[in-house]
Amino acid sequence: MATLALGSRPAVAARATREPPLVKLALTLLAIGFMGLFLVVPLAAVFAQALEKGWTAYVAALTEPMALSALKLTLLTAGIAVPLNLVFGIAAAWAIAKFEFPGRSVLVTLIDLPFGVSPVISGMVFILLFGRQGLLGPWAQAHDLRIVFAVPGLVLATVFVTFPFVARELIPLMQAEGTEEEEAARVLGASGWQMFRRVTLPNVKWGLLYGVILCNARAMGEFGAVSVVSGHIRGRTNTLPLHVEILYNEYQFQAAFAAASVLALLALVTLVAKIIVEWRSAGHEPVEGRTASGAGFAAGRRGDSNVD
């Protein structure tokens, strides 16, 4: 009897955790309806409004000088901010995950700071620092440096609101990997660059790419902090999100939705890239990555000794 009771426990547990088909169907329909209402419908509305007056008006709205200037500035800002955050994220994650040092917990807290501060407040901080009446404003004026209401201010604000993304993707990944491989590589005579290139980077490359994708998406779509430091100077400091706001406030709805459709397309491209990275990373388990990286260093150490 005891054996029979014990044998029936897995079946009872499986039934207890299995939802009835009707509940599964209801939850699935609820999720699909929610996604359709809050994601698909607004996205379709953006493209419908953008193409309301036809392709000619759509192309004209995207090729007029102010729109092209806003697009170029958006790409320029993201093109500067993302590489800076890439370098910072790798360095911060490497230091936090691989070493113990005083102030380590403070650094982790500071990395999370942009998540807890409103982007508008972040922009105001730069105004108070580099504005004409700010703490460093007189010094910047004396050296003929324009920070706020200029491209450097846009870059600083974007870097601030986006710098946690790469670091936050890499820190738990590097902590899970541990330090055994780096220690083994050091015993074998590897330099710091060799350890990073042949041991650390192969294990975190998909997480790194994932963080870069998220960072780039936030950089291109940032509105709050950029709005404060830009000054809304058309053709000079207006990024694409600010250009959309100005057009909408001027009741140029079709042109506003046309510019917004570009941001929507960028979001869709980011989503596809995110899915691809998740799919590729799912096919590369950490154990396989560790084995490959360790074997790669052992096999390539002799060949790289003359190069590195």
Side-chain angles (χ1 to χ4, degrees), residues 48-58 254:
Q49 291 290 330
L51 297 171
E52 184 181 18
K53 297 181 181 179
W55 281 100
T56 303
Y58 179 79
Q254 189 274 331

Side-chain angles (χ1 to χ4, degrees), residues 5-269:
L6 289 173
S8 63
R9 284 182 182 177
V12 172
R15 285 196 300 270
T17 57
R18 187 182 301 127
E19 298 291 348
L22 188 59
V23 175
K24 289 183 179 180
L25 179 61
L27 291 175
T28 302
L29 292 177
L30 180 63
I32 294 175
F34 185 88
M35 293 293 291
L37 182 62
F38 290 98
L39 182 63
V40 178
V41 172
L43 194 62
V46 168
F47 286 99
Q49 291 290 330
L51 297 171
E52 184 181 18
K53 297 181 181 179
W55 281 100
T56 303
Y58 179 79
V59 173
L62 295 180
T63 54
E64 60 100 8
M66 294 298 102
L68 291 177
S69 175
L71 179 59
K72 290 177 183 178
L73 184 57
T74 301
L75 296 176
L76 174 64
T77 304
I80 297 174
V82 172
L84 290 177
N85 284 327
L86 173 64
V87 174
F88 168 79
I90 293 174
W94 174 278
I96 291 170
K98 304 297 183 180
F99 303 98
E100 294 287 342
F101 55 90
R104 182 170 174 266
S105 59
V106 176
L107 179 58
V108 174
T109 303
L110 290 177
I111 289 175
D112 291 335
L113 183 62
F115 288 147
V117 177
S118 168
V120 175
I121 301 301
S122 304
M124 285 299 301
V125 168
F126 290 106
I127 294 291
L128 295 175
L129 280 176
F130 299 108
R132 183 167 296 181
Q133 305 299 324
L135 183 64
L136 301 177
W139 176 86
Q141 278 189 306
H143 292 80
D144 197 25
L145 296 176
R146 291 198 62 185
I147 308 295
V148 297
F149 310 141
V151 175
L154 302 180
V155 173
L156 285 175
T158 304
V159 168
F160 179 81
V161 298
T162 58
F163 77 74
F165 288 97
V166 175
R168 265 300 166 196
E169 287 296 325
L170 292 181
I171 289 172
L173 193 57
M174 287 187 176
Q175 287 176 333
E177 294 291 339
T179 60
E180 292 82 2
E181 292 183 42
E182 284 82 359
E183 292 170 357
R186 175 61 74 182
V187 170
L188 290 173
S191 64
W193 170 245
Q194 285 177 316
M195 282 195 301
F196 174 75
R197 186 168 64 91
R198 286 198 166 273
V199 178
T200 305
L201 186 58
N203 289 338
V204 301
K205 60 183 179 181
W206 296 114
L208 178 61
L209 183 57
Y210 187 83
V212 169
I213 290 172
L214 295 180
C215 179
N216 183 67
R218 177 64 188 274
M220 288 189 174
E222 175 55 31
F223 179 84
V226 168
S227 177
V228 174
V229 301
S230 71
H232 294 270
I233 306 173
R234 300 187 71 166
R236 295 180 59 185
T237 62
N238 267 355
T239 59
L240 204 53
L242 301 182
H243 182 65
V244 172
E245 181 199 26
I246 289 177
L247 291 176
Y248 194 85
N249 289 338
E250 293 177 349
Y251 303 102
Q252 301 182 44
F253 298 125
Q254 189 274 331
F257 280 105
S261 70
V262 176
L263 292 173
L265 286 173
L266 292 174
L268 291 175
V269 171

